[in-house]
Amino acid sequence: MARKSFLIPVFFPAVLAVSFALLLSATPIAAGHDYRDALRKSILFFEGQRSGRLPPDQRVKWRRDSALRDGSTAGVDLTGGYYDAGDNVKFGFPMAFTTTLLAWSIIDFGRNMGPELKNAVKAVKWSTDYLLKATSKPGVVYVQVGDAYSDHSCWERPEDMDTLRTVYKIDNAHPGSDVAGETAAALAAASIVFRSRDPAYSRLLLNRAVRVFNFADKHRGAYSSSLHAAVCPFYCDVNGYQDELLWAAAWLHKASRRRGYREYIVKNEVILRAGDTINEFGWDNKHAGINVLISKEVLMGKAEYFESFKQNADGFICSLLPGISHPQVQYSPGGLIFKAGGSNMQHVTSLSFLLLAYSNYLSHANKVVPCGERSASPAFLKQLAKRQVNYILGDNPLGMSYMVGYGSRFPRRIHHRGSSLPSVAAHPARIGCKAGSRYYSTPNPNPNLLVGAVVGGPNVSDAFPDSRPYFQESEPTTYINAPLVGLLAFFSAHP
């Protein structure tokens, strides 16, 4: 179940205003969406992905405790955290990216979350508590629990799991600057979330982020070189580890305000290729996120030395606009951002998040984005991001919400073990590795609604099979939902 996307060249007509109008009118727009309801559900989804001992306030009741011995084979407690998608492996790289984006959603849009803010903060803490365990030993980061090949050969509930819970780590002799850098970024971003809520916890997160970043920077290398057999092709770092080092430094600069991180960013901008592949953003490629995050300071008039990052961010924004020729971003006939490969909604939500975040930074500075002979206003960027969110919620050719439990028509056969198998309450007896296969292959809807889960989504022609075997379309992931939390928060306050 490799989730890496491979990009193919596609070129478009270069008439921005006309093509954007066509894009907006490609599908009838519904009377309006209940963004507040969608926000609540998008956060609730994370409770369905929890591993470990579930807390008394657990709201997804069909789930039970699972993987309570994780880490025991390595003599360390690695219980908790999240299953990344529809399987039962804990992959540290996407879990850390998910955490960073959840934290960024709260930092930028928490004021729009209303009563859901406390649940969003809990979603971050469920992950950071795990990441603190995974980084408890200096010079070591535990980056994965579970053998993916063993796991993927079974179709069983996490509560019944009997596949190999192999523990994988990076250390001085087996580096992984990518996953360690993303972990440092997650801890640093989360430290901002907890700064006023729990100062002691915030300090713990920031101090650990500093230590993990120093390890990542000192012992450079890609974790997919050190742990190739375990992490590839699932979360293989195709893009290289350089972006994660800059990404971590950017978050540490934002969290600590220490001059050393500013100097590190300036000094390493070219060496670590800040301007590379700017039209992508996800668990493997942080370039666009780095440039947007750092640009905020430029737009606030505080950091002229970061001006080149703003130029990169402007270039990234221009690459996403419909009607601007760019080889790696296209739109479906129904108006959905599409990048070739699997799990397309990860691109839709993460790119839309950056469009919205950047539009807010531009608004405060009263600036627009120059794109050749045209320019894009903050309002234009918000409109484009909102169009993507509305597509997810049902404004698309199939009239289908791609969020489970939102609207009257949504995916019923998602590629997700816990959702597709009867719950422990409904079927107390264990369901073994291969005994679950009949639930996988049945055309019946899943018995348990994983409310709030956003699936990989339709193909480039807006078609969607709603079938478990089509995992690239029907599997939800934590990193699809994390940036969507911020988007829904904003639009719930600014419908």
Side-chain angles (χ1 to χ4, degrees), residues 215-231:
F215 160 70
D217 192 41
K218 183 177 180 182
H219 302 282
R220 293 189 180 187
Y223 94 133
S224 28
S225 299
S226 299
L227 294 171
H228 190 273
V231 304

Side-chain angles (χ1 to χ4, degrees), residues 77-81 95 99 122-135 187 194 201 204-205 208:
D77 175 13
L78 292 175
T79 57
M95 196 193 308
T99 311
K122 283 180 185 176
V124 170
K125 192 170 188 293
W126 192 264
S127 194
T128 51
D129 283 351
Y130 174 81
L131 294 178
L132 287 169
K133 293 178 180 181
T135 56
L187 294 166
F194 288 100
Y201 189 67
L204 173 62
L205 293 171
R208 187 65 57 82

Side-chain angles (χ1 to χ4, degrees), residues 263-480:
E263 292 170 349
Y264 180 95
I265 293 165
V266 172
K267 177 182 164 190
N268 287 286
E269 176 189 355
V270 176
I271 301 166
L272 298 179
R273 311 197 314 260
D276 280 14
T277 48
I278 55 169
N279 65 321
E280 187 173 353
F281 181 53
W283 58 263
D284 184 17
N285 190 324
K286 313 297 155 39
H287 292 289
I290 293 163
N291 290 308
V292 168
L293 182 66
I294 292 175
S295 292
K296 182 180 182 182
E297 296 195 35
V298 182
L299 287 162
M300 289 169 64
K302 293 181 177 177
E304 301 76 24
Y305 41 80
F306 287 152
E307 177 61 36
S308 54
F309 289 91
K310 182 186 173 297
Q311 292 169 10
N312 290 339
D314 285 348
F316 155 71
I317 294 295
C318 295
S319 79
L320 296 185
L321 300 182
I324 297 285
S325 294
H326 201 281
Q328 292 179 337
V329 180
Q330 58 181 305
Y331 286 82
S332 73
L336 187 70
I337 289 173
F338 194 85
K339 291 171 83 67
S343 191
N344 181 58
M345 283 301 186
Q346 66 179 304
H347 306 302
V348 176
T349 60
S350 59
L351 294 174
S352 297
F353 179 91
L354 293 186
L355 280 169
L356 181 62
Y358 201 55
S359 75
N360 276 356
Y361 305 158
L362 290 163
S363 292
H364 290 302
N366 200 25
K367 292 279 201 311
V368 299
V369 180
C371 295
E373 295 177 2
R374 300 185 175 276
S375 62
S377 68
F380 182 88
L381 303 184
K382 286 184 176 71
Q383 182 84 342
L384 185 54
K386 188 175 185 179
R387 179 68 191 85
Q388 299 304 304
V389 172
N390 287 347
Y391 185 109
I392 292 171
L393 297 181
D395 293 356
N396 55 62
L398 296 182
M400 169 180 269
S401 158
Y402 289 102
M403 176 185 285
V404 173
Y406 179 87
S408 58
R409 187 176 181 214
F410 51 81
R412 300 281 181 171
R413 298 161 192 84
I414 68 172
H415 182 100
H416 190 279
R417 286 155 176 77
S419 171
S420 68
L421 290 154
S423 68
V424 173
H427 188 295
R430 187 175 166 278
I431 301 171
C433 170
K434 298 301 182 186
S437 300
R438 66 188 184 95
Y439 298 101
Y440 172 78
S441 54
T442 177
N444 296 337
N446 289 6
N448 309 307
L449 277 189
L450 184 57
V451 173
V454 178
V455 296
N459 64 20
V460 70
S461 57
D462 300 299
F464 178 73
D466 194 14
S467 172
R468 284 175 218 99
Y470 290 86
F471 68 88
Q472 292 183 323
E473 289 88 8
S474 66
E475 187 171 21
T477 73
T478 56
Y479 46 89
I480 291 175

Side-chain angles (χ1 to χ4, degrees), residues 68 124 137 193 468:
L68 296 180
V124 170
K137 292 184 182 177
V193 170
R468 284 175 218 99

Side-chain angles (χ1 to χ4, degrees), residues 136-152:
S136 58
K137 292 184 182 177
V140 174
V141 179
Y142 294 97
V143 299
Q144 185 173 316
V145 182
D147 176 87
Y149 292 97
S150 169
D151 179 272
H152 289 174

Side-chain angles (χ1 to χ4, degrees), residues 70-81:
D70 275 3
S72 59
T73 57
V76 61
D77 175 13
L78 292 175
T79 57

